[in-house]
Amino acid sequence: MALISTLAVTKQQKNKEDRVLVKKFSLSERIVQLGSLRQLTLGSFVLALIPLIALLWQSQSDLAKVGQMTTLETRFVVEIVGDVQ
């Protein structure tokens, strides 16, 4: 009889341990899911920034070219006006 009660107590302890493990696993699983969502959000944000940075660099480059062309055109017009006078 003592053996049966010992086995029953051991089985109850094992069931409790299993429940604790399941709870811990569920908590860690939730943390992983939150981490994955956070990583997905951060990755999407960085991915959206890449074309924006490329467009800003391209527009800055184009604006520098337009500024240089405007300077050359202005010098040309000033020289022509100076020759005409």
Side-chain angles (χ1 to χ4, degrees), residues 8-21:
V9 170
T10 307
K11 192 172 187 178
Q12 286 175 351
Q13 288 175 346
K14 185 167 175 42
N15 286 341
K16 286 180 183 178
E17 289 173 2
D18 288 345
R19 277 189 246 136
V20 170
L21 287 175

Side-chain angles (χ1 to χ4, degrees), residues 2 4 8 13 18-19 26 28 30-32 37 41 45 48 51 55 62-65 69 76 81 85:
I4 294 174
Q13 288 175 346
D18 288 345
R19 277 189 246 136
S26 297
S28 65
R30 288 180 192 155
I31 291 171
V32 169
L37 180 60
T41 304
F45 182 73
L55 287 173
D62 290 344
L63 188 60
K65 288 177 185 176
M69 289 170 40
F76 177 72
V81 170
Q85 288 180 353

Side-chain angles (χ1 to χ4, degrees), residues 4-7 9 12 14 16 21 25-26 36 40 43-46 51-55 62 67 71 74 83-85:
I4 294 174
S5 63
T6 306
L7 288 175
V9 170
Q12 286 175 351
K14 185 167 175 42
K16 286 180 183 178
L21 287 175
F25 181 72
S26 297
S36 297
L40 179 65
S44 299
F45 182 73
V46 169
L52 180 63
I53 292 169
L55 287 173
D62 290 344
T71 302
T74 304
D83 289 344
V84 169
Q85 288 180 353

